[in-house]
Amino acid sequence: MPLDRKFHAGRAVLCLSLCFLAGAAAGQALAFGLPDAAAPELRRSLADYYRNRDASQITAPLALSTLVTWFRVPALVFLWGFTSLGVPLVYLTAAGFGFLLSYSVGCFAASLGWEGVALSAAALGIRAAITMPCFILLSLSSMRRAGWLAGRRERRPDRRAGVALCTLILSAGAALDLYATPRLLRFALDWFAGAA
């Protein structure tokens, strides 16, 4: 990769990170600003999940819902590459992604304290760890294509390999999520119930 292209990719990753962190800060502020509103709903959801944990079998609607959850942000970022306004839209999506993830974790923590942090890691950890690299790869690819469409790049970028790789990784991650996340969450809930 030429030095100039590495510099632009590094600058884009830095800007993506800053947008993500700004969204995450806003998500934390909102979650901790309204802990009383989120706490009863979250506790009720966890109690229902705990009571019905033996009935957690994989169904077609559950699998489809999981795929939508895993692919919605990466697919949106991919689509921004087909518009000349893709670069600012990718940055806004990074901020929104940071906000939603941070707000979810913040609601767990604000409602349940330190136990909520562990529960959020059990519930969201696999998805966050796998989707972030794919999000960054697809964001960079979309920003290159959007730059080409806007006339700021001379050569049309090829991104088929990156998209195929991300699709494979996200599909495998969604399957892992369907299998492992309920078990991790049950383990965390059992651990906290035993420690109480």
Side-chain angles (χ1 to χ4, degrees):
M1 182 183 288
L3 186 61
D4 185 44
R5 194 166 164 196
K6 283 183 181 177
F7 172 75
H8 289 302
R11 190 171 58 182
V13 169
L14 178 63
C15 289
L16 277 170
S17 300
L18 291 174
C19 289
F20 182 87
L21 289 173
Q28 286 294 300
L30 184 61
F32 281 96
L34 303 170
D36 295 334
E41 181 69 29
L42 185 58
R43 285 193 176 107
R44 189 167 36 256
S45 295
L46 286 171
D48 289 344
Y49 180 84
Y50 193 78
R51 272 194 304 276
N52 300 321
R53 67 185 186 202
D54 292 332
S56 62
Q57 57 189 12
I58 297 174
T59 62
L62 177 62
L64 182 60
S65 172
T66 301
L67 284 173
V68 168
T69 300
W70 273 71
F71 277 89
R72 65 183 169 203
V73 173
L76 186 60
V77 165
F78 171 76
L79 292 175
W80 293 145
F82 293 98
T83 175
S84 58
L85 296 174
V87 174
L89 291 172
V90 166
Y91 288 137
L92 285 173
T93 304
F97 186 31
F99 174 84
L100 292 174
L101 188 59
S102 178
Y103 179 73
S104 299
V105 173
C107 285
F108 273 96
S111 301
L112 305 170
W114 283 108
E115 292 176 357
V117 175
L119 288 173
S120 69
L124 305 169
I126 292 174
R127 183 163 48 103
I130 295 174
T131 55
M132 281 304 297
C134 292
F135 172 78
I136 291 170
L137 181 65
L138 291 172
S139 294
L140 293 175
S141 177
S142 289
M143 288 191 293
R144 279 194 297 272
R145 181 163 176 96
W148 176 76
L149 288 172
R152 293 188 298 261
R153 299 275 186 270
E154 297 171 5
R155 197 175 59 117
R156 181 179 182 162
D158 183 23
R159 61 176 173 188
R160 288 177 293 217
V163 171
L165 178 64
C166 286
T167 301
L168 181 65
I169 290 170
L170 291 169
S171 298
L176 177 65
D177 190 21
L178 276 170
Y179 177 78
T181 297
R183 287 161 178 77
L184 287 171
L185 198 50
R186 280 196 303 262
F187 175 77
L189 288 168
D190 285 338
W191 188 68
F192 289 127

